[in-house]
Amino acid sequence: MAGWTLDDIAWQRFDASQVDPEIVKVVKAAALVEYGGAGYARYLCRVFADDAEFQTRMERWGREEMQHGEALARWAVLADPEFDFAAAFARFQGGYRLAEDVDGSRRGSRCGEMVARCIVETGTSSHYTALLEATREPVLREICRRIAADELRHYRLFYKNLGMCLAREKLGRWARLKIALTRVAESEDDELAYAYYAANAGDATYDRRRWSRAYMGRACAIYRPHHLEHGIAMILKAVGLTPNGWLGRTLARLSWRAMRWRAGRLARDAA
Ligand SMILES: [Fe+2]
Ligand SMILES: [Fe+2]
């Protein structure tokens, strides 16, 4: 397990006066996605069916992701005592389910799976670091600090395994880059939008465009340039390119501009 449990969190330090209702919505959605992490672990155990050691690591990883969900859900209930996590999770699972029961890898290779996981752990590591810096509520700050450290460790776990996979099966930089870009684009697929809907929609019906834009508008608002710089360096490293060179700096600048433009447009549309 992670080096911490829910009992290690100083819940008594919760300060309702520091709660931002917009951040509560993002935390609720994150709790649902994290709690569903065990499904990814089962899927990866099937992809690495002949690797008992990696399967053991994946089972532990899946439990850690679930614990992230439990910690975020408990905080969300402190912030909003009417939040029914079990009902929201049932709603989320009822409308969105990972295609776990597939033979072989959805990414075409074990290397491809590891690149995709590096991208996801980059995203979560950046997300919780940004959330930590965006909130003043002390308990949420502690939770984000612990989760961000776990996500960085998860990235290193998958990056290390990517190196071992590359020694056995070849996957060039361009192929890795293509998988990385595909996985980045998938961050706008149904999973996050549906989690945001399931956690926050009340009786409203699901409209993918509407809820995706609602989630992205809230999530984009918490990022700052250094979060993107760090995230892009991690992505370049996973792809096999120099993490901190001119390419990384240029991509970070362009990504930041694109994110600001997008956040501005979403805010104007929501007004
Ligand atoms: Fe997580
Ligand atoms: Fe993770």
Side-chain angles (χ1 to χ4, degrees):
M1 287 294 287
W4 58 280
T5 71
L6 265 59
D7 293 338
D8 294 320
I9 294 170
W11 300 101
Q12 74 281 2
R13 294 182 65 216
F14 179 75
D15 181 353
S17 70
Q18 298 294 343
V19 170
D20 177 342
E22 297 304 316
I23 283 183
V24 176
K25 294 176 186 172
V26 173
V27 169
K28 288 176 181 174
L32 299 184
V33 175
E34 295 276 0
Y35 197 69
Y40 286 100
R42 285 193 294 274
Y43 165 71
L44 286 176
C45 281
R46 263 197 297 283
V47 173
F48 289 83
D50 60 351
D51 189 339
E53 194 182 331
F54 187 68
Q55 287 181 333
T56 302
R57 290 204 185 103
M58 285 305 88
E59 281 158 13
R60 177 179 159 167
W61 166 72
R63 286 197 299 275
E64 290 183 3
E65 299 295 10
M66 284 186 78
Q67 180 172 288
H68 294 170
E70 288 165 351
L72 293 164
R74 188 159 160 187
W75 182 86
V77 171
L78 283 178
D80 173 8
E82 290 187 6
F83 179 51
D84 184 339
F85 176 69
F89 189 69
R91 192 180 197 185
F92 175 53
Q93 291 262 290
Y96 178 84
R97 194 171 281 275
L98 173 75
E100 290 173 34
D101 299 323
V102 293
D103 291 325
S105 162
R106 291 192 299 154
R107 308 287 168 190
S109 67
R110 292 182 175 190
C111 287
E113 290 294 341
M114 293 300 93
V115 170
R117 288 316 310 172
C118 283
I119 302 309
V120 175
E121 301 296 346
T122 297
T124 52
S125 157
S126 304
H127 179 73
Y128 292 110
T129 304
L131 205 51
L132 163 66
E133 293 172 20
T135 184
R136 296 162 69 107
E137 201 297 305
V139 178
L140 182 58
R141 284 179 62 82
E142 183 186 350
I143 293 169
C144 288
R145 183 175 51 74
R146 289 179 185 274
I147 296 181
D150 283 353
E151 308 296 17
L152 204 53
R153 186 165 45 76
H154 293 166
Y155 173 90
R156 292 197 192 107
L157 165 70
F158 290 117
Y159 182 74
K160 187 178 170 193
N161 206 55
L162 170 62
M164 292 196 280
C165 291
L166 283 170
R168 290 193 288 266
E169 57 178 32
K170 296 293 170 215
L171 190 70
R173 285 179 187 153
W174 285 113
R176 277 184 269 166
L177 181 61
K178 195 174 159 195
I179 289 168
L181 292 174
T182 302
R183 189 59 192 85
V184 169
E186 285 172 8
S187 63
E188 297 205 27
D189 76 2
D190 269 332
E191 185 176 25
L192 289 167
Y194 204 86
Y196 192 80
Y197 160 78
N200 296 296
D203 295 329
T205 52
Y206 182 62
D207 174 301
R208 178 179 173 172
R209 187 165 182 270
R210 175 188 167 195
W211 291 101
S212 177
R213 289 162 73 87
Y215 174 77
M216 293 308 286
R218 302 279 186 280
C220 283
I222 64 172
Y223 282 87
R224 296 294 173 265
H226 63 281
H227 303 131
L228 297 186
E229 280 165 29
H230 192 238
I232 284 179
M234 289 168 74
I235 291 172
L236 291 177
K237 186 177 169 185
V239 168
L241 296 168
T242 307
N244 296 309
W246 67 269
L247 180 61
R249 288 193 295 276
T250 305
L251 288 175
R253 263 199 310 273
L254 291 174
S255 304
W256 173 244
R257 277 188 210 163
M259 186 175 267
R260 292 316 303 154
W261 176 80
R262 182 108 194 266
R265 215 178 70 163
L266 290 171
R268 277 196 301 279
D269 288 355

